[in-house]
Amino acid sequence: ITARTLDDGKLLLLKEGEPIHFTFGKKEVPEGLERGIGTMTRREKAIIYVSGSYLTAASTIPSLQNISEDVQFEVEIVQIIQVRDMVGDGRLIKRRIRDGNGEFPMDCPLQDSLLCIHYKGMLPDEGGKVFYDTKFDGNGQPLEFSSGEGMVPEGLEMCIRLMLPNEIALISSTSDYAYDKFPRPENVPERANIQWEVELIKFETQKDWTGLSFNEIMDEAEKIKSAGNRLFKEQKYELAKAKYEKVLKDFNHVNPQDNDEGKIFVQTRSFLQLNVAACYQKIGEYKKALESCNKVLGENHGHVKALYRRGIAYMACGDFNEARKDFSMMINIDKSSEPDATAALAKLRRKEQEAEEQTRKQFKGLFDRKPGEISEGGSNDCEQQEHSIQSSVSVSAEKLDDLDRQESQHSIQSSMNASAEKSDEWDRQESQQSPQIQFQFAGL
C-alpha cells in the first residue's frame, strides 16, 4: 500500500514489498480505505480515493493521523484470510491460514464423509501449550474418521466441514464446543478453551446412489443404518436420528422394480421410521415420535412394533385411552406380542394411578367437604382460612355496619323488584343470611 495527498502528491505512506496485516471490521485502517478494500478480490490492484472526512484514526497506519486532505491510496491485496464466527457469538472461530483447492463451499465435506486430517491441539490459556500433535504423537499418521458419528469434538467437526482439501485452518473454541461433551484427554484441564490447527488432507464422500442397482442401494442403506444403530447404543440420539433421516430422504429417489423389491423397500423404510421415533422418544419429543409411528401405520395398520412404539408415546403424552387401544390391538393382531403388551398395560395402569394421585394431591380437600366444614387433610393456611370464615359467619346480623345493610338492601331490591312496603323485612332477613352464604362459598 502507498498513500499520497491528492492535491500535491506528497508521499504519506510507502509499503512496497512489505505488506501490512489488518482485520477487516476492526477499524484498524481508515474507514474510507476499508470500504474500498471491501470491494476488492485477492491479487487485485486498485487506486482508492478517500476524502479527509473518511480518514478516521487507524492503529495500523498511524502516519495518517491528523490528515484532513483527500488521499489517494494504491492498494494490492496479497492475501485474504477468511475468519468465520461459526455460531455467531465468538465461542467458535475458524481462521483460514492456507487456502485449499477447489471452490467454496461446493468442494467442502458438507455431507457426512470419511475425513483424513493432521491436527495440533493447543491450550491458548497456557501460552499455546501443545497437548497433542498427530505428526509426532500419532507416529506421523493422520487421523481418519467419519463425520456425523460423534468421533471428534463438535466444534472441530463443524469447522472441518467448511474446509477445502489441503486447507490449513486455526480453530478457536470454548470448552462447551471442545471437550465438555467429549472424552477429555488427560493433559487437558477441565473447562479449558482449545485451539486446533488443522490440515484437511482429503475426504471421501458417501457413494452416490445414482446408477446403483436396488441391491447395492439397500447395502449402502444398511451400512448407514448400522452406523445409526451404533450411535443409538452410545446414546448419541441426535446423531443416530440424522443417519436414519438421511436414508429416508434418499429413499425418496428409489423406485423398486417388482413386488419382492417393493416388500424389502417398505419393510426397511418402516424400520427406519420407527428408529427415528425411538430417537424422538429418547430426547423427549413424543409428538414427533407419534408422527413417525403414524407414517408406518398409515401403510400397515397392523404393524405391531409401530403400535407398541406409538402406545409408549401416547402414554408419555398422558393420552392413556389411546395408549390402551394400541396395546390391546397388539394382542388381537399377534398373540406372540402379548407379554410385551401386557407389561405395557401394567405400566399404563401405574401411570394412571400416579396421575390420579397427583391430581388428588393438587386438589386435596376441594371437592370432598361440605360448605362450612374444614377438610381434614387441608394445609395450615386452609385451616386458618376456614377458622377465619367461621368466625366471620358467627358475627350477628345486628353488628353488621350500616354500609353492609345498605348494599344488601340495594342488591335485593334490584334483583327481586320487591315492593317498598316489604323491602325492610327482606333487607333484615338477607342481612343475616347473605353474609353466611357468601362466606361459605368463599371457603370453596
Side-chain angles (χ1 to χ4, degrees):
I1 184 171
T2 62
R4 300 175 185 274
T5 57
L6 190 59
D7 291 339
D8 55 13
K10 178 183 176 182
L11 184 64
L12 301 174
L13 176 68
L14 178 62
K15 288 282 186 179
E16 292 183 348
E18 182 183 351
I20 64 170
H21 301 264
F22 75 97
T23 302
F24 203 85
K26 298 293 186 180
K27 298 182 179 180
E28 295 178 359
V29 297
E31 179 184 357
L33 178 60
E34 184 173 274
R35 288 191 182 188
I37 292 175
T39 66
M40 298 174 64
T41 60
R42 189 175 54 162
R43 297 191 181 92
E44 179 181 347
K45 295 181 180 180
I47 297 176
I48 301 173
Y49 299 95
V50 180
S51 65
S53 60
Y54 283 93
L55 285 174
T56 54
S59 59
T60 305
I61 314 177
S63 61
L64 296 179
Q65 292 182 2
N66 302 320
I67 299 295
S68 58
E69 303 174 57
D70 295 347
V71 175
Q72 171 185 308
F73 293 93
E74 295 181 13
V75 180
E76 177 186 1
I77 292 185
V78 179
Q79 176 66 290
I80 298 175
I81 300 173
Q82 182 196 65
V83 180
R84 186 180 298 274
D85 188 342
M86 299 293 294
V87 292
D89 57 10
R91 290 184 295 164
L92 182 63
I93 302 293
K94 173 184 175 289
R95 182 186 299 270
R96 181 181 293 171
I97 297 176
R98 185 181 75 190
D99 288 343
N101 301 329
E103 295 294 327
F104 180 89
M106 289 77 73
D107 295 320
C108 296
L110 298 174
Q111 305 298 324
D112 291 350
S113 309
L114 178 63
L115 303 168
C116 180
I117 66 169
H118 269 305
Y119 81 93
K120 178 168 62 176
M122 297 166 285
L123 301 172
D125 296 333
E126 297 186 15
K129 176 183 175 182
V130 177
F131 63 85
Y132 192 83
D133 189 340
T134 54
K135 293 182 179 180
F136 298 98
D137 301 317
N139 296 322
Q141 297 298 314
L143 173 67
E144 290 191 358
F145 67 97
S146 296
S147 56
E149 299 187 10
M151 301 180 72
V152 298
E154 180 183 8
L156 178 59
E157 181 172 317
M158 287 174 62
C159 293
I160 293 175
R161 285 178 181 267
L162 295 181
M163 294 179 65
L164 293 166
N166 293 321
E167 177 183 337
I168 296 178
L170 180 66
I171 300 168
S172 301
S173 172
T174 55
S175 61
D176 49 342
Y177 281 97
Y179 293 106
D180 279 0
K181 303 173 185 177
F182 192 83
R184 180 167 48 87
E186 294 182 357
N187 52 350
V188 173
E190 188 175 356
R191 304 290 298 171
N193 296 328
I194 301 296
Q195 282 187 335
W196 295 285
E197 185 177 296
V198 181
E199 178 186 2
L200 177 59
I201 300 172
K202 61 180 181 179
F203 68 90
E204 296 178 9
T205 57
Q206 293 177 351
K207 187 180 294 186
D208 186 358
W209 290 3
T210 304
L212 298 182
S213 67
F214 178 80
N215 290 334
E216 290 173 330
I217 289 175
M218 299 311 293
D219 288 342
E220 292 298 315
E222 183 61 31
K223 292 177 184 178
I224 301 174
K225 184 166 78 73
S226 297
N229 294 345
R230 178 180 60 80
L231 292 168
F232 188 91
K233 292 178 181 178
E234 295 174 358
Q235 300 182 4
K236 298 175 181 177
Y237 303 119
E238 289 284 2
L239 294 175
K241 181 170 69 68
K243 293 291 185 183
Y244 302 139
E245 289 176 333
K246 182 188 184 308
V247 180
L248 287 170
K249 182 179 178 180
D250 291 341
F251 268 10
N252 292 329
H253 307 289
V254 177
N255 297 307
Q257 299 300 311
D258 54 44
N259 289 337
D260 291 339
E261 290 183 357
K263 290 178 182 179
I264 295 173
F265 177 77
V266 170
Q267 184 181 45
T268 303
R269 185 174 60 187
S270 296
F271 283 140
L272 288 165
Q273 288 167 336
L274 291 177
N275 287 353
V276 170
C279 292
Y280 276 129
Q281 288 177 343
K282 288 295 186 180
I283 60 180
E285 296 189 27
Y286 299 106
K287 290 185 178 180
K288 291 185 178 180
L290 287 173
E291 294 174 3
S292 296
C293 293
N294 287 333
K295 290 178 182 179
V296 178
L297 292 168
E299 295 180 340
N300 182 0
H301 297 288
H303 199 294
V304 173
K305 190 173 182 179
L307 287 169
Y308 177 78
R309 195 144 285 166
R310 189 174 70 172
I312 295 295
Y314 274 134
M315 183 163 54
C317 292
D319 197 341
F320 300 133
N321 290 333
E322 293 298 326
R324 185 178 291 103
K325 290 179 184 178
D326 282 349
F327 296 144
S328 300
M329 192 179 297
M330 288 172 58
I331 300 175
N332 295 333
I333 293 173
D334 186 359
K335 291 295 182 181
S336 65
S337 67
E338 186 170 355
D340 292 334
T342 302
L345 287 168
K347 183 178 180 180
L348 176 63
R349 285 191 291 271
R350 292 195 297 271
K351 288 284 187 181
E352 288 179 308
Q353 292 172 356
E354 291 172 2
E356 290 173 1
E357 182 66 23
Q358 184 67 26
T359 303
R360 191 177 294 111
K361 288 180 180 179
Q362 186 175 357
F363 298 101
K364 191 170 186 180
L366 183 59
F367 302 111
D368 58 354
R369 65 189 180 190
K370 297 178 181 179
E373 293 181 348
I374 302 176
S375 174
E376 295 179 359
S379 64
N380 292 334
D381 292 340
C382 292
E383 292 175 358
Q384 292 175 2
Q385 184 182 11
E386 290 283 355
H387 178 71
S388 175
I389 293 170
Q390 288 184 336
S391 299
S392 300
V393 171
S394 66
V395 177
S396 62
E398 289 78 12
K399 293 184 179 180
L400 292 174
D401 59 26
D402 293 338
L403 180 59
D404 291 334
R405 288 199 298 272
Q406 291 173 6
E407 290 182 348
S408 178
Q409 291 171 1
H410 177 72
S411 175
I412 295 169
Q413 286 174 350
S414 300
S415 61
M416 302 295 295
N417 291 323
S419 63
E421 292 82 7
K422 296 182 179 181
S423 63
D424 292 338
E425 181 181 354
W426 261 109
D427 293 342
R428 286 192 296 272
Q429 294 175 359
E430 287 298 307
S431 66
Q432 295 173 354
Q433 297 177 4
S434 180
Q436 294 177 350
I437 295 172
Q438 179 182 353
F439 291 142
Q440 286 175 347
F441 283 164
L444 294 179

